[in-house]
Amino acid sequence: MLDISNLHVTVGAKEILKGLNLKVNEGEVHAIMGPNGSGKSTLSKVLAGHPDYAVASGTIHYDINFKPKNLLDLAPDERARAGIFLAYQYPVEVPGVNNAEFLRAAFNAICRDQGVEEMDPLDFDSYLREKIQFLGMDAKFMDRQLNVDFSGGEKKRNEILQMAVLAPRLAILDETDSGLDVDSLRLVSEGVNKLRSDSNAVVLITHYQRILSYIVPDFVHILANGQIIKSGDKSLALEIEERGYDWLLN
Amino acid sequence: MNQVSPASQAAVSFASAFAGFSRDRAGDAAWLREHRELAFADFVQIGLPTRKHEDWRYTSLRSLTEGAFSLAPQDVVSAEVLAPHVQAGDITLVLVNGRLVTPLEQLGDLPTGLLIAPLADALSVNVPAALRLLKRYATAQQPFSQLNEAFLGSGLFIEWGPRVTCERRIHIIHIGSGKDRLVTLPRHMLVLGSEAKGEVVETFVSSDEGTTSFTNTVTDIELAAGAQLDHQRCQLEAPQALHIGRVRAELAAAAKLTSLSLSAGAKLARIDIDIGLAGQGSEVILNGLYLTREGQHVDHHTVVDHQVPNAKSRQLYKGILDGVSRAVFNGVVRVRRDAQLTQAYQMNRNLLLSSDAEIDTKPELQIDADDVKCSHGASVGQLNDDHLFYLTSRGLPPTEARRMLVQAFADDVMLHAPRLHATLRPLTMGYFL
Ligand SMILES: Nc1ncnc2c1ncn2[C@@H]1O[C@H](COP(=O)(O)OP(=O)(O)O)[C@@H](O)[C@H]1O
Ligand SMILES: [Mg+2]
């Protein structure tokens, strides 16, 4: 469903991704690991369509209605409505915007796009409540301003709640596990696993093997210096945990 | 350009309206007629302010000098004009072109001790509070309050007796009607006895989008010891209308006034809010929200005068500006020498949605006491790109994301007036984009 080929990305004058290739099929979970500053978040932002990240060359194709489409032709909101979801490493705080209201607006924007009837506030409320409970979150969060004064862990869980509500086809999780305690990690992982199906895919960016014992990846890739330098199965993550990255970098 | 003095401009624009008005009111008490004559003479003498006046530096009144005004005639409006603003449970008073059209006997049961009367009636029977307020502001040297004073007689006198609480909101709806150069000059007096409690909303609308009328309104407020008033003013006039309004209030000990000024309509709007904190422990909260689009100009001037120790004031004014438009905020906080332990806070925040919009913001702190807590701030910014990206990356179309952020900026102020907010939200939501 996602095909990234020879992708070069620059921020300002600096080249960060330098010929990255990645193929993700329906039903798969891909873990991406790599040293700090290797370009993992950059990859996720490019997929989401962040305007600061310029694609210098290469292609990204994403299947819409079973046909590969040039993802770069789509605006960020169009990508989201086409099923791409990025759980941010650092979710921004948006003062004054009500968490639940925002989620409903996003959900309904996707409904409209797909020609499905929008959900009224009451129905949406019960739909949302169910997801909140599942993720072991406090319903009070819904009345708060979007991410404002949330702790690091609360922000991460709020991202996963958004993912659970919007039910994307391609979920990209950027270090969602960092800063989560063991219980939260388990609940978040269950949330992700619940989303998994034959028609969806997950790209999991992480530093730690820990989350991968909950969400078992089909592939593990090492991103270093703007390229994927090694791919393997879940045992590669264990090996990284033991040996670090140095042995791969030279 | 030939040079016409501001004084003669003033005379040219309003003299014939004043002459006609005086003829119509020839039967009024002699003192009242004289009072009006003096006020009009004052107005002509002061003249229309030009941008050379510090108080009008950023606001041009040229559109007032483009021909004579006549007094807006009696008129009726359709129910549709009113419908969006009428709320069940309110005591609703409708003025069309400054004339009260709601029969007072139809208001139903009012709390004992609450008096609602046409100001003209209150003046004709010499209600003490009405005369007291007239006297208090008689020497005001502001041209537009003098102009309003010259046409004294329309508007309402509302008095809450001591300890009278009116849970129902009193909603005064002003409707300007007609397409010519018409002027409306209502004056209201809101007098709350000690420990009394009330809520008053003034809404200014036009009968249709083409209305070009000029509204010059003054609302005088007096709060006796421990009285509480929530006053909201909502200016939603047609895009070519002219609006000049003033709210003056004096607070006795431990009285509390909460004020909201929302200004979204009119081509030119100037709103002055003068607060005298005359009693210890009194408190005023001033909130404001102004929205401007193509061709609009809105100017808020506030003056909070801390005359005694231990009073509090808190101001939050926010503006959202789009297109070629301009807004002015000028906030004076005066702390007299005796007014120790004053707490005064003032904040003005502006959101510019277009690079052609312009804001002039000026806090003026005049502090003569030494043991006070005063702070002020102002900001001018654009929509935050990170916020926009976050919302759109969840699927919201950019216009919807922008609207949500604009609304969030406005809500900060509007949440202080929840009921007004509910009726206005569709209006403010649709205002941009
Ligand atoms: N918006 C940005 N502006 C400037 N430099 C950036 C920006 N985003 C990322 N970079 C730089 O790009 C490199 C890769 O960053 P990032 O993708 O965040 O790495 P990772 O997520 O793998 O830690 C780093 O050197 C970082 O400083
Ligand atoms: Mg990162």
Side-chain angles (χ1 to χ4, degrees):
Chain A
M1 73 190 325
L2 180 71
D3 189 352
I4 303 175
S5 167
N6 196 25
L7 184 67
H8 291 256
V9 171
T10 54
V11 181
K14 192 170 159 196
E15 191 180 38
I16 295 169
L17 297 183
K18 303 167 183 170
L20 184 137
N21 298 293
L22 181 67
K23 254 196 180 95
V24 177
N25 296 309
E26 279 91 348
E28 293 176 351
V29 174
H30 291 245
I32 296 181
M33 305 180 79
N36 284 330
S38 57
K40 304 183 294 298
S41 292
T42 299
L43 171 63
S44 71
K45 295 270 182 68
V46 169
L47 292 173
H50 196 291
D52 288 353
Y53 298 79
V55 173
S57 62
T59 57
I60 307 178
H61 285 104
Y62 175 71
D63 289 358
I64 298 176
N65 296 328
F66 310 104
K67 279 191 226 91
K69 285 269 156 58
N70 181 0
L71 189 67
L72 302 175
D73 286 345
L74 302 184
D77 58 307
E78 294 171 320
R79 298 184 194 192
R81 295 197 299 272
I84 292 184
F85 180 92
L86 167 58
Y88 292 93
Q89 182 176 5
Y90 304 110
V92 299
E93 300 190 6
V94 190
V97 170
N98 175 276
N99 212 7
E101 237 175 86
F102 159 63
L103 254 182
R104 185 162 62 88
F107 182 87
N108 282 334
I110 294 171
C111 287
R112 274 200 304 278
D113 221 47
Q114 297 175 347
V116 186
E117 209 183 317
E118 295 184 28
M119 230 190 246
D120 68 47
L122 281 180
D123 288 344
F124 185 77
D125 192 61
S126 34
Y127 173 69
L128 185 56
R129 248 160 230 288
E130 180 196 316
K131 308 283 180 198
I132 290 168
Q133 256 166 20
F134 182 81
L135 289 169
M137 288 176 70
D138 190 333
K140 283 200 205 93
F141 279 105
M142 292 309 104
D143 291 328
R144 297 209 1 212
Q145 301 177 41
L146 182 50
N147 292 331
V148 175
D149 296 330
F150 284 27
S151 73
E154 287 163 355
K155 282 181 186 159
K156 297 295 179 75
R157 276 205 279 176
N158 203 32
E159 294 289 289
I160 296 304
L161 174 70
Q162 294 177 10
M163 183 199 77
V165 166
L166 301 178
R169 281 171 54 226
L170 174 63
I172 305 149
L173 276 56
D174 191 357
E175 294 199 32
T176 301
D177 53 339
S178 305
L180 286 185
D181 59 41
V182 188
D183 291 331
S184 309
L185 182 64
R186 188 176 44 78
L187 289 166
V188 160
S189 303
E190 277 170 25
V192 175
N193 285 331
K194 199 171 182 201
L195 181 79
R196 287 179 69 173
S197 78
D198 291 346
S199 52
N200 296 348
V202 177
V203 172
L204 238 173
I205 296 169
T206 183
H207 274 301
Y208 308 103
Q209 146 67 26
R210 198 173 58 152
I211 193 172
L212 301 180
S213 58
Y214 293 106
I215 309 170
V216 181
D218 302 295
F219 302 93
V220 174
H221 311 278
I222 310 303
L223 175 54
N225 200 17
Q227 289 185 328
I228 289 187
I229 55 165
K230 189 170 175 70
S231 298
D233 62 13
K234 60 186 178 187
S235 63
L236 179 57
L238 285 169
E239 200 171 356
I240 293 292
E241 187 108 318
E242 255 169 54
R243 300 176 61 190
Y245 296 109
D246 281 352
W247 62 285
L248 284 168
L249 293 179
N250 306 306
Chain B
M1 276 281 215
N2 50 353
Q3 292 288 309
V4 183
S5 77
S8 47
Q9 276 290 8
V12 167
S13 293
F14 298 98
S16 92
F18 183 67
F21 175 76
S22 303
R23 266 196 308 279
D24 290 350
R25 300 300 180 99
D28 285 353
W31 72 265
L32 183 54
R33 285 183 287 129
E34 194 181 328
H35 183 84
R36 290 175 182 142
E37 293 286 350
L38 285 173
F40 193 72
D42 255 3
F43 166 68
V44 171
Q45 206 226 322
I46 304 167
L48 286 176
T50 67
R51 293 178 66 178
K52 292 199 188 93
H53 292 71
E54 185 56 31
D55 242 17
W56 292 87
R57 212 167 117 198
Y58 300 110
T59 297
S60 155
L61 289 170
R62 209 179 42 209
S63 27
L64 281 184
T65 62
E66 285 162 358
F69 283 91
S70 31
L71 202 57
Q74 196 162 350
D75 207 345
V76 284
V77 293
S78 67
E80 288 123 70
V81 176
L82 272 174
H85 305 284
V86 175
Q87 265 192 54
D90 286 355
I91 299 169
T92 304
L93 300 153
V94 180
L95 281 82
V96 178
N97 285 349
R99 289 152 215 258
L100 183 69
V101 299
T102 309
L104 290 176
E105 54 284 2
Q106 276 178 22
L107 292 180
D109 282 342
L110 299 178
T112 346
L114 174 69
L115 168 70
I116 301 181
L119 179 64
D121 293 1
L123 292 173
S124 71
V125 298
N126 299 326
V127 170
L131 301 182
R132 189 163 66 233
L133 280 170
L134 278 194
K135 212 166 152 197
R136 175 173 304 148
Y137 298 114
T139 54
Q141 280 300 299
Q142 297 105 3
F144 291 104
S145 6
Q146 292 301 7
L147 182 64
N148 179 279
E149 196 89 11
F151 289 84
L152 195 66
S154 69
L156 294 159
F157 175 84
I158 307 180
E159 185 171 20
W160 293 250
R163 285 172 302 285
V164 171
T165 292
C166 182
E167 297 292 351
R168 288 167 73 196
R169 199 168 77 144
I170 299 173
H171 191 179
I172 306 171
I173 305 179
H174 298 260
I175 301 175
S177 174
K179 288 204 182 349
D180 308 317
R181 286 177 74 76
L182 301 176
V183 60
T184 301
L185 308 101
R187 162 78 59 97
H188 303 303
M189 293 184 180
L190 311 176
V191 179
L192 283 88
S194 57
E195 311 282 329
K197 214 172 150 184
E199 180 177 1
V200 176
V201 182
E202 290 186 63
T203 299
F204 298 86
V205 290
S206 306
S207 61
D208 66 77
E209 283 297 281
T211 307
T212 56
S213 55
F214 169 37
T215 307
N216 177 22
T217 162
V218 175
T219 299
D220 287 332
I221 298 172
E222 182 185 84
L223 301 187
Q228 291 184 30
L229 176 68
D230 191 343
H231 180 252
Q232 298 148 29
R233 141 186 244 298
C234 213
Q235 189 278 109
L236 306 169
E237 293 184 356
Q240 291 305 316
L242 308 169
H243 181 100
I244 294 184
R246 187 176 285 270
V247 176
R248 302 185 286 209
E250 187 161 290
L251 281 69
K256 181 171 176 179
L257 172 67
T258 308
S259 143
L260 172 76
S261 171
L262 173 86
S263 186
K267 180 166 87 173
L268 168 68
R270 163 72 182 242
I271 296 126
D272 280 77
I273 298 187
D274 298 342
I275 310 292
L277 295 170
Q280 291 214 25
S282 55
E283 179 179 358
V284 65
I285 295 174
L286 300 181
N287 292 311
L289 177 67
Y290 42 91
L291 314 174
T292 63
R293 284 188 298 199
E294 197 60 36
Q296 285 183 299
H297 182 116
V298 58
D299 178 348
H300 273 91
H301 269 58
T302 66
V303 177
V304 176
D305 187 3
H306 284 261
Q307 300 160 8
V308 296
N310 273 313
K312 274 193 225 172
S313 64
R314 201 179 163 78
Q315 303 184 51
L316 174 64
Y317 278 80
K318 283 188 146 186
I320 305 172
L321 287 72
D322 201 0
V324 182
S325 70
R326 188 161 186 187
V328 179
F329 175 79
N330 188 104
V332 175
V333 175
R334 190 176 302 141
V335 181
R336 309 270 181 127
R337 199 166 39 196
D338 294 337
Q340 300 298 357
L341 302 174
T342 286
Q343 290 182 38
Y345 168 84
Q346 181 189 85
M347 180 55 75
N348 175 228
R349 293 192 189 284
N350 296 281
L351 177 59
L352 302 187
L353 299 177
S354 119
S355 50
D356 297 323
E358 195 179 333
I359 168 79
D360 295 287
T361 173
K362 185 165 156 230
E364 268 185 74
L365 267 55
Q366 307 164 3
I367 302 177
D368 294 326
D370 45 26
D371 188 9
V372 299
K373 265 193 206 140
C374 295
S375 65
H376 67 88
S379 68
V380 180
Q382 283 130 33
L383 283 178
N384 181 308
D385 286 340
D386 292 335
H387 296 169
L388 266 178
F389 178 69
Y390 189 75
L391 300 194
T392 51
S393 76
R394 293 295 178 246
L396 289 184
T399 49
E400 203 178 327
R402 263 197 291 275
R403 197 178 321 146
M404 195 173 260
L405 292 175
V406 167
Q407 192 64 47
F409 181 85
D411 275 351
D412 201 14
V413 169
M414 291 306 292
L415 291 176
H416 293 282
R419 279 199 289 177
L420 198 60
H421 187 224
T423 38
L424 286 177
R425 206 169 190 204
L427 282 170
T428 49
M429 273 292 230
Y431 202 76
F432 299 102
L433 311 162

